[in-house]
Amino acid sequence: MLHVDGDLNGIIHSESIVVIGKNGNLKGELQADKVVVNGYFEGELDASSLEILAGGVVLGDISVVQLSIENGGKFRGTSKIKDEDTLKLIENNPE
């Protein structure tokens, strides 16, 4: 698990959970299995699951299987809901 609780700009690719804490400010490209945002994220996000908590702000383009936004959480941008069956087919492809 990666916990961001400061300023970070760049590209993050994780096969685990990424948490952007209350004081976290992440700008760039984020790819992870699960993302929890209680701080600020701006950029492109690709994940199986995105959870925006009451104090969280997400600006940008997201591509997810599951999306959850608590009351008070903010999202502005474009969203694409991926089909979980398509992901499984790609993962099982022997190429």
Side-chain angles (χ1 to χ4, degrees):
M1 178 173 87
L2 173 65
H3 188 95
V4 178
D5 220 5
D7 293 335
L8 184 62
N9 294 326
I11 299 171
I12 296 175
H13 288 204
S14 173
E15 294 181 6
S16 186
I17 300 170
V18 175
V19 176
I20 301 174
K22 195 171 192 171
N23 297 317
N25 184 347
L26 176 58
K27 293 181 182 179
E29 179 183 312
L30 175 57
Q31 183 177 12
D33 181 47
K34 179 177 181 178
V35 177
V36 179
V37 180
N38 196 27
Y40 180 86
F41 174 81
E42 182 177 344
E44 292 184 29
L45 187 147
D46 189 338
S48 294
S49 173
L50 170 60
E51 187 176 346
I52 303 173
L53 302 180
V57 177
V58 174
L59 304 176
D61 302 326
I62 65 169
S63 182
V64 296
V65 175
Q66 296 177 336
L67 174 62
S68 170
I69 305 174
E70 285 186 355
N71 284 339
K74 295 177 177 64
F75 169 68
R76 184 175 63 208
T78 61
S79 63
K80 177 182 176 187
I81 304 300
K82 299 187 289 188
D83 185 3
E84 195 169 357
D85 292 335
T86 303
L87 292 176
K88 288 179 182 175
L89 288 175
I90 292 170
E91 289 173 358
N92 291 329
N93 191 347
E95 292 180 9

